[in-house]
Amino acid sequence: MADVEMKPLDDVEAKEHDEKSSPVAEIRSNVALIERAVSTLEPRFTHRVLRTLTALRKRLDDAVLRDAIGEIYTNDDSQAKKALLVWLPAAPPQDHTMDVDTTHVPSTHPKHAQPEPVPESEIYFRLLILHHLLMSPSNYKKAMTLAHETVQRMQALNRRSMDPIAAKVWYAVERTYELLGELAGARPLFLAAQRTASLRHDAETQATLINCILRSYILYNLYDQADKFVTKTTFPASAANAQFSRYHYYLGRIHAVQLKYSAAHDDLEQAERRAPPQRTAPGFYQAVQKLSIAVKLLMGEIPERGLFRQPVLEKALIGYFEIVKAVRNGSLSQFQSTLSKYAADFEKDKTYTLIVRLRQNVIKTGIRRLSLSYSRISLRDICVKLHLDSEEDAEYIVGKAIRDGVIEGRIVHEKGWMECGGQKGGYGPEVSDVFTARIQYCTNLHNESVKAMRYPLNAHRKDLVAAENARERERELAKEIAEGGDLDDEGPDLGEGF
Amino acid sequence: MAPPQLVTLFRQLQQAFTARPCDLQKCGTLLAQLKIGLIEAGLLMPSGDENLEDLVMARDVLEVGAFWSIRSRDIPSFDRYFSQLQTFYNDYRFASVLPPSPREYPVRGLYLIRLLTQNRIADFHTTLESLPLAADSLTANPYIQHPVNLERWLMEGSYSKVWNAREEAPAEEYKFFVDSLMGTIRNEIARCEEAAYESLPIKDAATLLFFTSQSELLSFAQQRGWQVNVSAGTIAFAKKGEEKTEIPREKLIQTNLKLARELEQII
């Protein structure tokens, strides 16, 4: 789950943008937006900037960043400018482009008229440089130093308008640590930052950091600590969908390990629903589906066939598809051979232990099929059909299946057979429970979507004006009616007068 | 460096522990002294860069302590030692300072068995996941393989395999858990039988429950409230009366009202 899962996650919210604009121009407009966000105290603009981050990240290179910094920081003596340029190699064309900038820019804008950009822009640049450094493994060490410096700078500045950018910076910090393989060492840093963020009600940073910490626990298989961490923190409700999606995925993983399959299933469903479309983030979608198939099988459900036909999943899930087939057939030998064939894949996806747990489900499915097709079957035959080792085992296994409610039936020990009872009727209190649960789900979904709607500011004014107009019209109408009434009243008079 | 008296105490403990038969009482007193010594030297919960030899010693003391608690059948004490060992096993491993201990997997395996005997399956799996081994090599380690197999058989219902494997323990200490494990299995089997059989001949019931004598079975049957018919030689299981299917009126009304309210809101 190393790389595949993370990268697409970033693609979250990647918005289609104008491909024609050059990266430098885009950075410039982004900085302008950040300035606007800071001056109007409207975080919406910052979010818009950050949405373009993923697409922009791929088009960055040294020259682009240098040009952009040169354009934004027109004052050559600026401390921030020097601090930023330190991180970029002074390549030969640099002097040239810098010359162009310094001769070009002042001609359009006088040097002194351009005020120093807000600190948020500086952090934004640092974020861009950080992502740029992370592209090549040789720069990881450098990225780490930059990450530390940026975090210090962020904490020293301590501005609320910086929070959305700070969240992204934290993510980049986590990525740096992970690429260097030192994620375990970063935990104290994240935990401290998470405490600060929650004290400041900084939902964005909090959400990002909670995910970072969970990831670091799960990467080292520390499910116990991860679970305790989850119970001690509350995930901010106003966090972005992408963060929610990851959080639910991690929760699903924890719950699956703890055998809380239905909870895990709910979490994974949430993760899938909140995740960006499959095409933008295929890796995350695959990871969620892999885990969700394992959990579904453990719950005794068989995933739909159509799932494995989706183009995004077809190749990635081939091993899981084989496993599903084995479970469906209730064939232990097929299950074992599939398991050993795809062991390396499952191990890589960290689902191996979950899949191994399926063994008992395979047996249960087998027994269930037998109980449906026979009204009476000898233990010996069960043994042969399910490839069990001995009749004695078969008796215990059938007994357990009856106790667990997998099948309805009894064992007649003296005669050595199993008698299968009739199936339960389809009506009863449990049906109404399921029905209620579904209705509740639908109404909840409806209510949530109503809550999630955005209302533009001052939109009600328009309604007010419309209402005013309507009242006006009504009044006119009333007047007309009154006048008309006069006419009417006059009517009979006239008639009388006639 | 650890104070010299701590080191001599540790030597004594090792001697007392490896001696045959092992002197449990002496080990106990030595362990108590050693633990105080370790706390004073700041080694019980090491927090920084400690001397490597000291760390190894502290870990060995705790491991001996864990084995000692099992031999003297003090399970809560074993739990304490195990959680104290976690620091040494997990945190120092990632920093790759501490050489792995040969006793690490026996201790971990014992803890897994202990969780099994208490039927704490969820904890069992969490602990299993957190083992620093690749998942498909779990079965290659004899100390881990044993509990993993036991769990699989328990879940499947192959109780006879569990019964047969009880003597195949990879370490001496594993056998201390056999008795309580058998108790767990018997209860499991008994619950299955209650559900799956109407009646059973006494003799067969005894074999199914792995009882060797009839008197053991009879007392067990009494415990679970089974009706034993000695003259016919059968055990009849108390049938739970068919549950009356009552319509949960109040609940239905409530859900219907709620639904109506929601619908009202939407329209």
Side-chain angles (χ1 to χ4, degrees), chain B residues 77-203:
Chain B
S77 153
F78 173 72
D79 281 349
R80 278 198 298 279
Y81 279 113
F82 184 76
S83 39
Q84 279 162 355
L85 276 169
Q86 286 293 313
T87 328
F88 293 95
Y89 287 159
N90 291 332
D91 300 335
Y92 280 91
R93 170 184 298 275
F94 293 129
S96 63
V97 252
L98 217 55
S101 150
R103 272 180 289 211
E104 173 174 347
Y105 285 103
V107 172
R108 283 182 188 270
L110 280 172
Y111 186 68
L112 288 175
I113 296 246
R114 167 184 148 50
L115 292 176
L116 270 190
T117 54
Q118 289 192 327
N119 232 346
R120 281 160 63 184
I121 304 294
D123 288 332
F124 176 88
H125 281 288
T126 325
T127 320
L128 198 63
E129 288 281 343
S130 61
L131 288 181
L133 284 175
D136 48 355
S137 63
L138 278 181
T139 41
N141 190 318
Y143 299 107
I144 304 299
Q145 188 201 15
H146 187 63
V148 167
N149 280 341
L150 286 184
E151 191 267 349
R152 193 170 301 162
W153 292 329
L154 275 177
M155 285 297 114
E156 268 172 30
S158 318
Y159 297 115
S160 59
K161 282 191 187 145
V162 183
W163 179 253
N164 294 332
R166 73 191 187 284
E167 293 304 327
E168 296 163 13
E172 200 51 35
E173 278 76 13
Y174 279 59
K175 293 190 179 146
F176 288 97
F177 283 112
V178 163
D179 287 339
S180 51
L181 191 62
M182 286 308 121
T184 320
I185 296 178
R186 273 202 190 111
N187 279 325
E188 283 283 305
I189 298 177
R191 275 165 59 198
C192 292
E193 285 181 352
E194 281 164 15
Y197 299 90
E198 271 159 13
S199 70
L200 256 184
I202 289 186
K203 213 165 91 266

Side-chain angles (χ1 to χ4, degrees), chain A residues 57-342:
Chain A
R57 201 174 64 179
K58 291 183 186 122
R59 302 194 295 159
L60 288 179
D61 57 38
D62 291 337
V64 166
L65 281 169
R66 250 193 324 267
D67 287 358
I69 293 170
E71 281 195 28
I72 305 298
Y73 291 89
T74 42
N75 188 352
D76 270 342
D77 302 326
S78 146
Q79 286 290 320
K81 180 174 183 176
K82 279 179 197 155
L84 287 173
L85 283 176
V86 166
W87 299 102
L88 298 167
Q94 192 225 3
D95 297 38
H96 174 68
T97 47
M98 284 307 288
D99 281 349
V100 171
D101 280 335
T102 37
T103 50
H104 172 70
V105 175
S107 64
T108 47
H109 316 277
K111 214 179 216 174
H112 300 287
Q114 190 97 328
E116 179 84 3
V118 286
E120 280 78 3
S121 309
E122 186 198 335
I123 300 293
Y124 178 62
F125 270 117
R126 281 170 178 273
L127 178 64
L128 290 180
I129 299 174
L130 199 54
H131 273 302
H132 175 57
L133 289 179
L134 287 178
M135 297 248 211
S136 56
S138 55
N139 282 335
Y140 287 168
K141 288 268 172 232
K142 216 165 140 190
M144 181 69 99
T145 338
L146 172 62
H148 278 283
E149 203 187 286
T150 312
V151 166
Q152 270 165 20
R153 183 114 180 87
M154 251 158 38
Q155 281 164 348
L157 287 166
N158 188 15
R159 286 161 68 110
R160 290 290 67 77
S161 48
M162 201 184 278
D163 288 346
I165 305 179
K168 291 277 174 193
V169 170
W170 276 114
Y171 170 71
V173 171
E174 189 254 10
R175 191 86 187 114
T176 318
Y177 271 105
E178 195 183 323
L179 288 173
L180 278 169
E182 294 170 14
L183 200 53
R187 234 172 272 146
L189 179 73
F190 289 147
L191 285 169
Q194 200 267 328
R195 275 198 298 276
T196 322
S198 68
L199 282 178
R200 287 181 186 149
H201 295 288
D202 176 1
E204 300 271 334
T205 314
Q206 220 180 321
T208 314
L209 281 168
I210 287 178
N211 280 334
C212 290
I213 295 166
L214 279 181
R215 184 174 174 76
S216 93
Y217 280 135
I218 289 176
L219 205 63
Y220 291 98
N221 286 330
L222 299 170
Y223 289 98
D224 221 13
Q225 277 99 316
D227 182 43
K228 279 183 189 132
F229 179 73
V230 168
T231 50
K232 297 281 181 290
T233 45
T234 40
F235 197 76
S238 57
N241 261 347
Q243 298 298 346
F244 250 117
S245 178
R246 308 172 84 200
Y247 182 68
H248 279 297
Y249 173 70
Y250 293 137
L251 277 190
R253 198 160 256 294
I254 296 170
H255 284 148
V257 169
Q258 291 174 331
L259 295 117
K260 295 177 189 160
Y261 298 130
S262 50
H265 186 244
D266 289 352
D267 287 325
L268 290 171
E269 228 170 35
Q270 279 292 327
E272 192 190 324
R273 213 167 281 143
R274 294 207 187 228
Q278 302 164 19
R279 270 179 206 297
T280 19
F284 183 74
Y285 187 63
Q286 283 166 4
V288 171
Q289 284 302 344
K290 282 172 186 172
L291 196 58
S292 139
I293 287 172
V295 169
K296 265 188 199 153
L297 286 176
L298 283 166
M299 282 168 52
E301 281 175 34
I302 303 285
E304 279 170 38
R305 177 71 179 82
L307 187 69
F308 299 98
R309 286 217 195 87
Q310 293 180 17
V312 192
L313 300 175
E314 204 171 1
K315 262 195 203 130
L317 296 188
I318 180 96
Y320 294 85
F321 178 51
E322 296 290 323
I323 285 285
V324 170
K325 272 205 285 196
V327 175
R328 227 177 84 88
N329 293 335
S331 148
L332 260 187
S333 52
Q334 194 186 343
F335 176 74
Q336 284 298 351
S337 64
T338 317
L339 185 63
S340 47
K341 190 175 162 198
Y342 294 100

